[in-house]
Amino acid sequence: MPITLNINGKDRTVDVPGDVPLLWVIREELEMTGTKFGCGRSLCGACTVHIDGQATRSCVLPVEYAAGKAITTIEGLAPPDAPHALQDAWVAENVPQCGYCQSGQLMSAAALVAQNPAPTDADIDAAMTGNICRCGTYPRIRKAIHRAAAEMRENATAKKGLPVLQDAPAGAPATGASGSSKTGGQP
Amino acid sequence: MSTGKKRGMTRRFFVKALGIGAAGTAALALGGFVRAQDEQHRVDGPEDVDGAFHPDVFLTVTPDSTILLAIPKAEMGQGTTTGYVTLVAEELGVSPGRITYYYADGAPEYRTMGGMQLTGGSTAIIEGWPLMRKVGATARDMLLAAAAAVSGVPAAKCRITDDGITAGGKVLTFGSLCTEAAKQPVPENPTLKNAKDYAHVGKPGVRVDARPKTNGTAGFGIDVLRPGMKKAYVIHPPVFGATAKSVESAAAKAEKGVSHVVTIPAGVAVVADKFWQAKAAAQKVKVTWTGGHDTVSTSALSAKYATEPLPTDGKNAIDEGDVDAALAAANTERVHTVRYSAPYLAHAPMEPQNFTAHVTDGRCELWGPTQSPTVVQEAAAQLLGIERNDVVVHTTFLGGGFGRRSGLDFALEAVACSQAVGGPVQVIWTREHDMQGGFYRPIAFAEYKAALGDGGKPAAIDVQLAVPPIFKDMGGMGGAGMPDWVPPGLRSFIARKLMKALASGALIPDVIGAEGSWNYGGETLRVHTAPLDVPVPVTFWRSVGHSYSAFFAEAFVDELAEKADQDPVAYRLALLEGQPRAQAVLKKAAAMAGWRHDGWKTPLKDGVGRGVAVHESFGSYVAQVVEARVESGSITVEKVFCAADVGVAVTPDLVKAQMEGGIIYGMSAALMQKIDIEAGKVVQENFDTYPAVRMHESPVIDVHVMASAEDPGGAGEPGLPPIAPAIANAVYRVTQKRLHALPLTVG
């Protein structure tokens, strides 16, 4: 059954049964692997995307319910040459360890700061409790959210550019493994 | 593209070295031990660039001035990639970001650890400290010599920067020096930098893999996409050891996208174009299973060893003085005995197990999240009946490892599927597969007994352990660790026999299972360990034996301190005489927490208690003070103060992150996790029944990394062992009840 999805601003048509979870459509039909599979039962948050700006667990959302809505995945959070303040804060604070949960963490955090420019620790607890991190990066996630939210507020009021944050330059390979996930080839 | 390049020591070379000549070779050939092809099948890697300079198997400088580093370790979040890049960059003289890293493909020259390319035991930085500095320094010396040869400026007056080598006012790019550098002699022992000159080692810095892990581009095993690749959902038996007797697959095969339903050693594989198709179709497959271990009961085991004597037919891992005599001579009220237990634990990394394999004629290429390409190569080769070095393994990022990805089971499923379907196949496990698939941290039972002597110090310590030994499931690793020249059949035979003997306890005590049982030493000390024979697969779990032994030991010593009516910190410091590094972290953690040496008996405030633990593991020393609240039948860890001595901290902020991570991983186990098995079936299946600490439960963690000039110790695991006992000891302050079993529960 052909279904048209609006993903990161682009219309994509897939031909799958309507009850296939959005997660697998994203990962397998569209080959966008930034959104992760962790539990299949909306218990872990690794699959978090935005549906019309709301953080949503895509592993339990039948794809037909996502049709006609604006879907944002981690790939569409921000352009590569203009990262989201959260992504810069994640790098500056050395948030990721294995990194597998971080797409979901960032999507949940992005929905939070979009709706709440000055989240408290309690707000962060509530927004982020659905995202499990087995590497234990929670303290740094919290710090990075506060940091990014502060920068976004400063940016909004003072219209200054984002401060330059030290991170790995563009030369480092994206995967560190045999090339990009799309080709499985060499870097 | 395969190049069939010769690598390392070939069997032909070995035959020559033996001097057995043509007759001997013929004899071996007749015996079927010498195979026709002794070169390793390879696929081109990033290092295969025409005209590149290869000072060794790790570093490559390309004609376009890219500096490539093959990392012979897996990145599972512990930051080894950044550590290795930093060490090479430091000695070479460039910034870490100037180096492009990739993961070594399993070729024999990367088998740097026990004959294997293996990441585990918190050893990567310990191994990398000499190795990677030498790699950097070697390349530096050869490039400088090349610059000198090309420019006429003495090497000592040439300077390396990110842009190249400045020689007499001119900048020579690295790429332009490749040919000349390759002509230079390889220095045997290049000079290494003085610590005081470090620009990167020991400094704050950002991990080199951070950015891709924030924008969805970091590639994990589950993200691998190969042309023509199919996906497989493998139906596992309901109990360990059962096999498929009959399979009804017609309905599944009729589903769109499904191409095969095939029995493999691990179960029944449903192969389809997409995983969502395979998973859905698998629900329509009916399997009749036969055999298997359907009487395993963890509740029965726990009930048995709550009161029954622990087995005495094992071996002593430590045996100093005459413990029996000391105990017999002691007054009974001066003898303190406690029984402890810890459950089976799953690893539950965020990325479920998966692997991708492509079996072709006599060869196999694999992609996936593995802690050991060699283990995977060995397993694939044995299954396929091909040479180990004809198996190429590409290691992706690991979405968490924690020891589980040193296994071969999930990779072997992919190999078996690919062999069956004749094309590339990716096997993905669901979370249920992952939590119920075995290879757990072993269940452990212990009895600790101490006779208290003068000043309340333990005059004699007697530890009895009963643990299923990890040795029993290490056959694959045993074979993987043997050299190439041992024929495959013999490797497998020896490994199985050896591991079986080690597991039986007949040869040596289970030193892995007993590690960390009592780090305080003593003249009258015995640690006896008996192997439990339980048919549940077990393996390394973050900090291994220390994951339960530190709980046992630090909970017990806390009770001894109380019996002696002494401050738990002071009591431990006295026992740690002769262990200054352990004393130092304990003092530091206590100071960080503001430990009240005169007021330690009372709770910190209403409902909140403080507990302490100190433990050495993997060459590092860690002490923690926990503030935990107990109310309404639940334990809340509010704060953790942690002092860690890891020797030289190459990447201090990443060491800190490992301590934070070890604490939270250990806390999940301490408070929430257990794997129950009843009638052979694993009870827990997903994050509802096997939970993990979440953001709102995450404590404030304050970590201090001690300054040290000692050689590095590990960082990935040492932060974990102290957390469970520190929590238990904190809870005691509030409840006046000692907790002797994990996970910890109150009320």
Side-chain angles (χ1 to χ4, degrees):
Chain A
M1 160 180 147
I3 301 174
T4 300
L5 302 169
N6 183 274
I7 302 212
N8 299 331
K10 282 203 177 79
D11 276 346
R12 310 283 301 269
T13 302
V14 295
D15 187 7
V16 295
D19 64 350
V20 176
L22 176 62
L23 171 67
W24 294 106
V25 173
I26 290 172
R27 285 189 60 84
E28 294 198 288
E29 303 304 318
L30 301 176
E31 294 189 347
M32 296 168 64
T33 56
T35 310
K36 304 303 188 195
F37 169 63
C39 72
R41 291 182 47 202
S42 91
L43 295 166
C44 81
C47 66
T48 307
V49 298
H50 293 172
I51 307 276
D52 290 338
Q54 302 297 315
T56 310
R57 315 296 179 212
S58 63
C59 73
V60 293
L61 183 72
V63 63
E64 61 188 344
Y65 291 119
K69 302 193 166 78
I71 303 164
T72 315
T73 69
I74 184 69
E75 291 91 344
L77 182 63
D81 57 350
H84 195 288
L86 284 167
Q87 289 168 313
D88 278 345
W90 248 239
V91 172
E93 297 290 342
N94 276 325
V95 171
Q97 290 188 25
C98 87
Y100 191 80
C101 76
Q102 299 297 343
S103 296
Q105 302 279 2
L106 279 158
M107 295 311 283
S108 291
L112 168 67
V113 297
Q115 288 149 23
N116 181 348
T120 61
D121 278 341
D123 292 333
I124 290 172
D125 282 349
M128 304 301 292
T129 188
N131 290 85
I132 296 178
C133 170
R134 291 291 279 147
C135 297
T137 66
Y138 303 120
R140 291 175 187 245
I141 290 176
R142 185 187 300 280
K143 195 169 177 210
I145 290 174
H146 283 306
R147 178 177 177 148
E151 271 163 23
M152 289 168 74
R153 290 195 302 273
E154 200 186 293
N155 222 26
T157 57
K159 299 206 182 345
K160 281 193 284 225
L162 283 170
V164 173
L165 295 165
Q166 184 192 1
D167 67 17
T175 63
S178 10
S180 75
S181 59
K182 280 207 157 65
T183 65
Q186 311 307 318
Chain B
M1 189 181 90
S2 99
T3 58
K5 281 193 191 140
K6 246 195 236 284
R7 318 262 319 233
M9 183 161 73
T10 66
R11 199 159 292 147
R12 223 175 272 148
F13 167 84
F14 176 69
V15 163
K16 241 170 117 175
L18 272 184
I20 59 178
T25 312
L28 280 180
L30 281 172
F33 288 158
V34 175
R35 68 185 181 96
Q37 183 185 356
D38 58 6
E39 296 174 347
Q40 191 212 0
H41 165 66
R42 281 196 61 202
V43 294
D44 274 354
E47 70 277 11
D48 292 304
V49 174
D50 284 335
F53 164 48
H54 306 281
D56 49 47
V57 299
F58 299 102
L59 202 92
T60 300
V61 181
T62 66
D64 75 349
S65 297
T66 304
I67 304 174
L68 293 160
L69 178 65
I71 311 261
K73 296 292 172 190
E75 177 62 60
M76 46 186 138
Q78 83 282 39
T80 290
T81 309
T82 305
Y84 275 33
V85 165
T86 300
L87 289 171
V88 172
E90 183 73 70
E91 294 295 342
L92 178 54
V94 299
S95 52
R98 185 62 178 80
I99 294 175
T100 301
Y101 61 88
Y102 63 102
Y103 299 101
D105 66 357
E109 58 263 34
Y110 299 115
R111 294 175 192 156
T112 57
M113 186 169 155
M116 293 175 275
Q117 182 178 338
L118 170 66
T119 312
S122 299
T123 54
I125 200 67
I126 295 170
E127 205 185 289
W129 176 245
L131 177 61
M132 286 295 129
R133 284 187 298 158
K134 188 174 182 189
V135 166
T138 299
R140 173 200 69 212
D141 285 358
M142 294 174 79
L143 285 165
L144 285 173
V150 155
S151 68
V153 177
K157 287 199 155 63
C158 298
R159 256 184 19 123
I160 295 187
T161 67
D162 281 359
D163 300 322
I165 301 187
T166 313
K170 256 186 66 177
V171 176
L172 306 164
T173 65
F174 295 119
S176 68
L177 294 168
C178 283
T179 315
E180 189 59 42
K183 296 182 192 160
Q184 306 304 317
V186 179
E188 282 270 330
N189 285 306
T191 309
L192 301 178
K193 278 172 89 162
N194 228 297
K196 64 173 170 56
D197 299 323
Y198 283 154
H200 309 292
V201 171
K203 304 280 184 269
V206 166
R207 57 187 301 148
V208 296
D209 54 350
R211 182 61 66 178
K213 291 177 174 179
T214 65
N215 59 23
T217 62
F220 298 85
I222 203 172
D223 303 324
V224 166
L225 294 169
R226 299 294 306 165
M229 181 176 90
K230 296 217 183 274
K231 308 286 186 81
Y233 176 106
V234 180
I235 303 168
H236 285 169
V239 298
F240 298 113
T243 52
K245 190 165 79 166
S246 70
V247 181
E248 271 176 51
S249 59
K253 280 188 181 150
E255 293 293 301
K256 184 166 181 223
V258 175
S259 61
H260 299 77
V261 177
V262 57
T263 301
I264 61 172
V268 178
V270 179
V271 184
D273 293 334
K274 304 288 161 60
F275 184 70
W276 62 265
Q277 292 170 329
K279 182 166 180 284
Q283 313 311 312
K284 304 195 170 189
V285 175
K286 288 194 174 57
V287 184
T288 317
W289 302 96
T290 181
H293 307 286
D294 60 357
T295 58
V296 179
S297 164
T298 50
S299 61
L301 264 175
S302 300
K304 179 177 160 108
Y305 291 121
T307 52
E308 262 187 49
L310 295 178
T312 51
D313 56 347
K315 277 194 154 51
N316 292 331
I318 303 176
D319 195 6
E320 303 287 334
D322 191 336
V323 167
D324 290 323
L327 289 172
N331 267 330
T332 37
E333 73 259 21
R334 299 285 280 166
V335 174
H336 193 63
T337 305
V338 182
R339 280 278 172 115
Y340 292 101
S341 70
Y344 283 113
L345 290 175
H347 302 68
M350 282 313 294
E351 180 188 17
Q353 309 311 326
N354 64 85
F355 233 83
T356 305
H358 190 178
V359 176
T360 52
D361 188 30
R363 291 172 178 171
C364 184
E365 197 173 354
L366 292 126
W367 300 258
T370 175
Q371 289 175 234
S372 178
T374 320
V375 165
V376 173
Q377 284 169 308
E378 178 74 15
Q382 296 286 353
L383 180 72
L384 297 170
I386 64 176
E387 274 296 328
R388 174 162 79 184
N389 290 342
D390 287 335
V391 181
V392 177
V393 178
H394 305 284
T395 305
T396 62
F397 281 128
L398 279 59
F402 311 119
R404 181 64 178 93
R405 309 232 207 232
S406 64
L408 51 87
D409 53 328
F410 42 88
L412 217 52
E413 288 185 10
V415 175
C417 285
S418 177
Q419 185 184 38
V421 315
V425 177
Q426 181 182 59
V427 168
I428 298 176
W429 284 19
T430 61
R431 181 57 58 189
E432 289 78 10
H433 281 114
D434 176 66
M435 286 187 173
Q436 302 194 320
F439 294 101
Y440 302 123
R441 196 281 306 271
I443 196 168
F445 302 99
E447 181 170 286
Y448 276 61
K449 199 184 291 241
L452 294 177
D454 294 332
K457 277 189 175 176
I461 295 273
D462 189 20
V463 178
Q464 282 184 278
L465 300 166
V467 185
I470 290 171
F471 286 129
K472 75 179 183 66
D473 296 303
M474 266 175 76
M477 198 176 272
M482 289 183 205
D484 287 339
W485 54 260
V486 179
L490 197 55
R491 289 201 301 263
S492 172
F493 176 79
I494 294 174
R496 272 183 290 113
K497 289 287 174 206
L498 178 64
M499 289 304 161
K500 194 158 173 229
L502 288 171
S504 74
L507 292 182
I508 58 166
D510 177 12
V511 289
I512 300 175
E515 61 189 357
S517 293
W518 189 255
N519 284 352
Y520 294 100
E523 286 174 2
T524 314
L525 165 65
R526 178 172 60 201
V527 174
H528 173 274
T529 179
L532 285 182
D533 185 11
V534 187
V536 172
V538 289
T539 192
F540 306 93
W541 186 98
R542 193 174 189 175
S543 79
V544 200
H546 300 277
S547 68
Y548 49 77
S549 70
F551 170 64
F552 301 162
E554 286 299 289
F556 189 64
V557 80
D558 218 58
E559 293 200 34
L560 298 186
E562 179 178 60
K563 254 189 119 81
D565 199 28
Q566 288 179 30
D567 167 16
V569 171
Y571 189 81
R572 286 171 171 81
L573 282 173
L575 291 187
L576 288 171
E577 201 184 296
Q579 297 191 51
R581 293 174 74 183
Q583 287 178 318
V585 292
L586 179 53
K587 281 186 191 153
K588 181 65 181 173
M592 289 163 74
W595 186 272
R596 297 171 313 185
H597 294 281
D598 52 349
W600 53 271
K601 251 190 231 190
T602 51
L604 182 66
K605 44 186 186 254
D606 213 26
V608 178
R610 267 207 181 131
V612 66
V614 58
H615 197 78
E616 176 203 346
S617 66
F618 308 100
S620 294
Y621 302 79
V622 179
Q624 289 165 9
V625 172
V626 160
E627 288 176 11
R629 172 181 299 280
V630 183
E631 66 186 357
S632 316
S634 69
I635 303 169
T636 304
V637 178
E638 295 189 338
K639 275 197 194 147
V640 182
F641 301 92
C642 175
D645 176 353
V646 300
V648 169
V650 174
T651 52
D653 195 42
L654 302 195
V655 170
K656 188 162 173 281
Q658 286 312 293
M659 293 301 138
E660 294 160 3
I663 284 166
I664 291 176
Y665 196 84
M667 195 180 135
S668 293
L671 294 177
M672 307 174 180
Q673 293 175 341
K674 60 188 168 84
I675 289 289
D676 297 314
I677 305 173
E678 296 305 332
K681 285 196 161 89
V682 177
V683 171
Q684 287 75 14
E685 55 178 20
N686 210 310
F687 287 114
D688 51 351
T689 46
Y690 193 85
V693 165
R694 293 170 181 270
M695 172 67 86
H696 68 283
E697 298 155 321
S698 181
V700 171
I701 303 177
D702 185 5
V703 177
H704 177 85
V705 178
M706 309 288 277
S708 172
E710 303 276 352
D711 282 348
E717 292 166 287
L720 190 153
I723 192 63
I727 295 173
N729 296 338
V731 167
Y732 175 74
R733 273 308 136 221
V734 180
T735 65
Q736 292 297 297
K737 281 195 174 67
R738 290 286 180 187
L739 300 175
H740 298 146
L742 293 173
L744 305 170
T745 52
V746 290

